[in-house]
Amino acid sequence: MALAKITSIKGSGIHVPGDDIDTDRIIPARFMKCVTFDGLGEYLFHDVKFDQEGSKKKHVLNDPAYNDASILIAGSNFGCGSSREHAPQSLYRAGFRGVIAGNFAEIFFGNSINLGIPCVSMSKANREKLIKLIDADPETEINLDLEELRVTAGALVLPVEIREDARSSLVNGMWDPLDELVSTSSSVEAVAGNLFYR
Amino acid sequence: MTSKNLFQKVWDAHSVGTLANGQTQLFVGRHLIHEVTSPQAFGMLREKGLPVRYPERTFATVDHIVPTNEASEPYSDALADAMIKELRKNCEDTGVTFFDVSSGNQGIVHVVGPEQGLTQPGMTIACGDSHTSTHGAFGAIAFGVGTSQVRDLLATQTMALNPLKVRRIEVNGNLASGVYAKDVILHIIRKLGVNGGTGFAYEYAGTVFDDFSMEERMTACNMSIEGGARVGYVNPDQKTFDYLKGRPYAPTGEHWDLAVDQWKSFSSDHDCKYDDIVLIDASEISPTVTWGINPAQAISIDESIPTTDGVNPTEKESIEEALEYMKLEGGQPIKGTPIDVAFIGSCTNGRLSDLEEVASLIKGHRVKEGIKAIVVPGSQIVSKLAQEKGLDKVFTEAGFEWRNAGCSMCLAMNPDKLVGDQLCASSSNRNFKGRQGSPTGRTMLMSPTMVAAAAICGEISDSRLVFNS
Ligand code: SF4
């Protein structure tokens, strides 16, 4: 099945403040007791949103104004910590289709691209402009354009960066590499056969 | 021939070709799996109708969800029980070797791989777990991967990757007594930051790493990921070969000598290039403790908890957030911080030498009343060897609980959890908010010896003074 070509993401945004948001914060480990990823969306940022009694904390993630947000705006080193794909899976299942941050932890970045979630880097100064805009009007439409490598929102036009291999996989609809990996089986066998170990 | 570092040599030997997006298709010689990140991958494979291509190259264990004080199945936690059964079935169906609980070989995946001799120099290794960097201690290039890549590996034994830059981190000189591999890696992360390693493999070297045992090298490589480096490794040497000799999956007979020759050839060439070199003086390193909510927020035991005086606004924010969460006050000495729980274990510090070191020091001491202290061997084999040496008795006599092998209180997927805002002195690797199972639980990372000192005194203490070392 051909994959969708992901050339741009359009939607409203939400800003989750803080640098070094780790995967335990994105999805606490206790919710990883599952054998499928279905249903993970519900637990996204669980402990950021709820206190120990299960009551909603005062947090932007609980603000109904941002209910429809599909683009997450975060600080630097987003997604550090565990290699768990549960983190981007829960983002995706909660309706997020793109992430704008200062930069990303490597494994999280790769996992997200494999699911077709573009993760782009934007300077702090520009993120602040964007955040100001959505704070003023949460419904502002953000257009994350992977062909022009820019984000437009209201009157703002802001440059973003993403690793070229990731960008090209997304815009060419090849972000899931499995079919390509399967197609080279004879070269794989040759490399395996030449190795000094079995 | 141009000279290369170990990373480049291993990469070249395993590279299948270049993919359309420019990434490399890399062959992975050993694939390790566990119950948390593999079931979805097997599910995806089934959906696509693809078989496991090289089942003999994949090995499974169960670690995250196993209860450490409950041996019989079904486990009282139905979800945990479903996960172990799913893994067992997936392995049976596909012919993957499973170090099941009944095998006597079960344990944390990063303890089991080396212990079984599955981890060898010059290999590529992958596991759906970020601490796969541990295996780099043997001169392997070992990647933590996500579940989609676990699927790719099961289906093709390859994955799509970009090459990494290599930073050589040389630690030279002598470590003071009471300073351990854990302190060395915490110090490195403190210096280079939690994302200083992004895009890099870390090559650890220098006299300190030359002198380290294999288990100490594993402790350091384990936490590469906490410094943002996906891969960490040490060039293989005679110690590496001696460690592997006679292990169940190590080569034997004439294959052994051939293998050793091959392994030697994977060392970084003397005149090879690095993308960066960092030099660290061993005498700078003291017993180190984290005070915050990421592993770089660490100080030596003699220092005071940082204040926000004179720091830039970004750093100020992160210090304030950490202090608030940790319920600590800037400017106070870290020594004397009261603890509630002490945890010795995990893939960082749950190996035999860790337990031996602590046991040799704690005789005649007792865990302070009111402190919950647990010791969790990293594998069933570690547990058995420790019991043969009587270490379990030493620990229980001192007031520690002795548990079955597993990840235990390193993360919150089994019954071992912090409660409320308990503060845990922990030999594990992550001090993130909520990491140890309570959304308000607090973690301070340190060496196992420092954990023991904290358990005995009921507060963060200098192990060198507690144990007169
Ligand atoms: S001991 Fe901790 S870090 Fe290591 S594999 Fe288990 S959960 Fe992960």
Side-chain angles (χ1 to χ4, degrees):
Chain A
M1 194 186 74
L3 297 169
K5 295 187 178 180
I6 301 174
T7 52
S8 71
I9 303 285
K10 293 191 190 76
S12 55
I14 181 170
H15 169 227
V16 175
D19 291 334
D20 305 316
I21 301 275
D22 58 75
T23 48
D24 282 82
R25 216 130 13 124
I26 298 173
I27 178 124
R30 61 184 188 281
F31 300 118
M32 290 169 24
K33 280 197 223 151
C34 54
V35 293
T36 74
F37 290 128
D38 309 344
L40 279 185
E42 202 184 316
Y43 304 115
L44 177 70
F45 290 120
H46 185 276
D47 295 345
V48 181
K49 289 159 69 178
F50 300 98
D51 68 15
Q52 244 153 308
E53 280 72 50
S55 315
K56 281 188 177 170
K57 292 192 213 171
K58 200 176 166 315
H59 194 280
V60 57
L61 285 160
N62 285 323
D63 183 342
Y66 298 95
N67 266 355
D68 297 330
S70 59
I71 296 177
L72 185 77
I73 301 155
S76 69
N77 201 26
F78 186 73
C80 61
S82 147
S83 64
R84 64 185 70 149
E85 194 168 300
H86 302 68
Q89 287 277 3
S90 67
L91 276 170
Y92 192 87
R93 280 155 211 267
F96 287 97
R97 294 296 177 266
V99 187
I100 301 170
N103 53 34
F104 298 86
E106 225 160 285
I107 304 182
F108 175 87
F109 178 87
N111 285 342
S112 301
I113 301 302
N114 279 346
L115 300 181
I117 309 174
C119 290
V120 298
S121 306
M122 186 189 276
S123 72
K124 187 164 177 172
N126 284 341
R127 269 181 287 136
E128 278 166 3
K129 288 183 203 158
L130 185 61
I131 292 161
K132 220 166 130 193
L133 190 68
I134 59 175
D135 280 350
D137 178 8
E139 280 171 32
T140 308
E141 187 178 83
I142 299 173
N143 182 0
L144 196 181
D145 186 334
L146 286 169
E147 288 179 313
E148 302 296 332
L149 281 179
R150 66 180 183 208
V151 161
T152 49
L156 294 175
V157 181
L158 308 168
V160 294
E161 286 175 27
I162 181 170
R163 248 174 34 205
E164 177 49 29
D165 61 274
R167 194 195 72 89
S168 114
S169 317
L170 290 164
V171 300
N172 293 317
M174 296 179 67
W175 34 272
D176 182 341
L178 182 59
D179 291 342
E180 199 182 356
L181 295 177
V182 170
S183 72
T184 58
S185 61
S186 56
S187 323
V188 172
E189 269 164 38
V191 170
N194 276 333
L195 280 181
F196 66 98
Y197 64 98
R198 288 286 159 264
Chain B
M1 213 176 72
T2 50
S3 46
K4 292 183 193 167
N5 56 45
L6 179 142
F7 181 87
Q8 293 162 333
K9 291 183 188 182
V10 175
W11 184 270
D12 292 350
H14 293 82
S15 158
V16 176
T18 306
L19 299 167
N21 68 358
Q23 287 191 294
T24 302
Q25 180 175 14
L26 195 75
F27 188 81
V28 172
R30 285 268 194 274
H31 182 204
L32 307 172
I33 60 174
H34 62 62
E35 75 283 13
V36 184
T37 53
S38 73
Q40 307 83 354
F42 281 107
M44 296 174 195
L45 228 58
R46 278 193 292 270
E47 239 167 63
K48 288 219 156 213
L50 290 168
V52 175
R53 178 70 185 78
Y54 294 90
E56 70 282 8
R57 290 186 181 272
T58 298
F59 295 83
T61 184
V62 53
D63 47 14
H64 286 60
I65 56 99
V66 285
T68 60
N69 54 1
E70 182 186 346
S72 60
E73 290 180 49
Y75 296 146
S76 38
D77 177 346
L79 290 172
D81 200 61
M83 288 171 85
I84 190 172
K85 292 207 162 69
E86 179 88 7
L87 180 60
R88 195 173 283 142
K89 178 160 189 329
N90 283 330
C91 291
E92 273 166 20
D93 289 353
T94 57
V96 166
T97 303
F98 179 30
F99 301 115
D100 204 340
V101 181
S102 58
S103 69
N105 296 323
Q106 169 266 340
I108 307 172
V109 62
H110 312 306
V111 177
V112 170
E115 178 176 85
Q116 291 293 327
L118 287 165
T119 303
Q120 297 168 18
M123 281 184 169
T124 45
I125 300 178
C127 174
D129 193 283
S130 53
H131 291 99
T132 308
S133 57
T134 313
H135 305 264
F138 291 78
I141 296 301
F143 297 92
V145 300
T147 294
S148 297
Q149 284 169 311
V150 173
R151 174 205 63 183
D152 297 347
L153 289 164
L154 290 171
T156 70
Q157 206 62 36
T158 67
M159 56 181 184
L161 270 185
N162 291 311
L164 298 169
K165 292 180 281 184
V166 180
R167 172 180 292 144
R168 181 174 163 96
I169 301 176
E170 255 185 58
V171 187
N172 287 306
N174 294 314
L175 291 176
S177 105
V179 176
Y180 297 94
K182 180 63 156 286
D183 302 305
V184 172
I185 188 65
L186 284 172
H187 184 83
I188 290 173
I189 297 166
R190 174 187 182 183
K191 278 194 97 152
L192 303 180
V194 282
N195 51 13
T198 306
F200 283 96
Y202 280 175
E203 174 176 304
Y204 301 104
T207 54
V208 165
F209 278 88
D210 294 344
D211 293 345
F212 269 169
S213 69
M214 289 312 294
E215 300 201 343
E216 290 173 305
R217 293 177 189 176
M218 284 187 248
T219 297
C221 287
N222 175 272
M223 288 190 70
S224 305
I225 188 76
E226 270 65 54
R230 194 170 186 181
V231 161
Y233 68 87
V234 177
N235 282 299
D237 61 8
Q238 193 56 41
K239 258 184 218 166
T240 319
F241 314 144
D242 292 345
Y243 178 98
L244 286 170
K245 186 133 204 181
R247 305 233 164 222
Y249 289 88
T252 50
E254 64 195 62
H255 297 294
W256 172 261
D257 296 328
L258 288 172
V260 171
D261 283 345
Q262 287 286 348
W263 292 345
K264 285 183 179 158
S265 72
F266 279 97
S267 261
S268 291
D269 295 323
H270 285 297
D271 52 348
C272 71
K273 286 212 175 60
Y274 294 97
D275 299 284
D276 190 25
I277 296 181
V278 172
L279 299 177
I280 292 176
D281 178 355
S283 64
E284 279 171 24
I285 309 174
S286 309
T288 301
V289 178
T290 63
W291 57 270
I293 51 173
N294 75 51
Q297 289 176 323
I299 52 179
S300 88
I301 182 68
D302 296 318
E303 285 176 73
S304 294
I305 299 164
T307 63
T308 51
D309 295 348
V311 301
N312 68 44
T314 323
E315 206 176 326
K316 181 163 182 273
E317 233 172 79
S318 89
I319 292 178
E320 280 169 352
E321 186 190 0
L323 291 178
E324 191 193 329
Y325 182 83
M326 292 298 290
K327 303 195 164 83
L328 294 174
E329 214 177 298
Q332 293 297 308
I334 192 111
K335 217 188 283 178
T337 309
I339 67 151
D340 306 293
V341 177
F343 169 56
I344 296 178
S346 87
C347 58
T348 317
N349 281 124
R351 296 187 178 77
L352 186 63
S353 57
D354 298 309
L355 306 187
E356 281 176 322
E357 175 70 11
V358 176
S360 73
L361 296 169
I362 60 171
K363 283 189 196 125
H365 291 278
R366 264 204 80 78
V367 170
K368 178 131 186 190
E369 218 183 291
I371 306 291
K372 180 183 178 69
I374 64 174
V375 180
V376 187
S379 71
Q380 292 178 329
I381 291 182
V382 170
S383 176
K384 182 169 154 269
L385 295 173
Q387 289 182 44
E388 282 168 14
K389 291 174 179 260
L391 305 186
D392 56 327
K393 298 238 159 43
V394 175
F395 280 110
T396 49
E397 271 159 25
F400 288 85
E401 293 174 42
W402 177 262
R403 297 294 189 81
N404 298 331
C407 293
S408 182
M409 210 181 262
C410 177
L411 98 173
M413 290 192 68
N414 57 68
D416 304 335
K417 290 184 176 73
L418 296 182
V419 180
D421 66 358
Q422 279 181 331
L423 193 149
C424 180
S426 182
S427 73
S428 56
N429 46 44
R430 287 193 173 139
N431 54 345
F432 299 150
K433 287 182 178 176
R435 169 73 178 182
Q436 292 187 290
S438 162
T440 49
R442 298 171 292 160
T443 303
M444 287 177 143
L445 304 175
M446 60 197 83
S447 72
T449 300
M450 285 285 286
V451 173
I456 287 158
C457 303
E459 57 185 37
I460 302 298
S461 309
D462 188 335
S463 58
R464 296 169 298 189
L465 303 176
V466 177
F467 302 122
N468 285 321
S469 62

